[in-house]
Amino acid sequence: LILESNNLVGSLPNSIGNLTKLELLTLFSNQLRGSIPSSIGNLVRLTELELGSNQLTGRIPPSIGNLVQLQYLGLYSNQLTSSIPSSIGNLEQLQWLDLYSNYLTNSIPSSIGDMVQLQRLSLNYNQLRGSIPSTIGNLVQLQWLHLYDNQLTGSIPPTIESLVQLAELELYDNQLTGSIPSSIGTLGNMLSLDLNDNQLTGSIPPSIGNLVQLQFVGLNSNQLRGSIP
């Protein structure tokens, strides 16, 4: 069902959950309002759910965790609130998760580390708090990690060294503390490293010089000391 880029208004009907053989639901770039009905969890054959760029409100229903065939989930650029449900970790086939530009709060669930096929994780432009879960290190296929413009605290988890496919690590505009882990130097595919506008301390690790593919490094507006390696 592809109805993208129209002028559709109103809310998603509960009856959408009756379309149990649906494999693709694409409604992005409309003017849909209201909440995502929990009956969406009945669409267990979906491989792509694209509801971005609407005016959807309310929470992401926990029933989203029923969509275990999903490879792409796009709920970006809406007005969604509350927490990311821990049931999202059930989506073990998911490759792209785009939840950016909403009003999501509380912490990133540790179950996010169960989505081991994930290549892109974009949670930027929300109001997420707490630390980056160490389980992020399970996402060994990850190429894009975008967590910028949130209210994340704590340190950059050392488990990030496992993300050897990572091309973009964008953590700027948070409240991260502690030092930049020296293990970051193992991420040889990195093209962009942006840690601007945090509260990072300590010195710049010399291992950053191992990132020979880097095209951009942003470390400004922190509390870093010592010499440039």
Side-chain angles (χ1 to χ4, degrees), residues 2-19:
I2 302 175
L3 297 172
E4 66 194 57
S5 302
N6 282 289
N7 295 304
L8 298 175
V9 296
S11 59
L12 282 171
N14 235 3
S15 57
I16 204 156
N18 297 333
L19 305 178

Side-chain angles (χ1 to χ4, degrees), residues 146-219:
H146 297 164
L147 303 180
Y148 55 89
D149 269 290
N150 279 288
Q151 299 166 32
L152 297 171
T153 55
S155 59
I156 300 170
T159 54
I160 212 150
E161 68 181 358
S162 302
L163 307 183
V164 294
Q165 303 297 325
L166 206 59
E168 294 183 7
L169 179 58
E170 311 280 344
L171 305 180
Y172 61 87
D173 280 333
N174 279 289
Q175 299 165 30
L176 298 172
T177 55
S179 59
I180 301 170
S182 61
S183 57
I184 210 163
T186 63
L187 306 181
N189 290 309
M190 186 87 74
L191 301 176
S192 177
L193 173 63
D194 197 341
L195 306 179
N196 292 337
D197 292 292
N198 279 287
Q199 299 168 28
L200 298 170
T201 55
S203 59
I204 301 171
S207 62
I208 213 163
N210 298 335
L211 305 179
V212 295
Q213 304 295 326
L214 269 181
Q215 299 173 10
F216 176 82
V217 182
L219 302 176

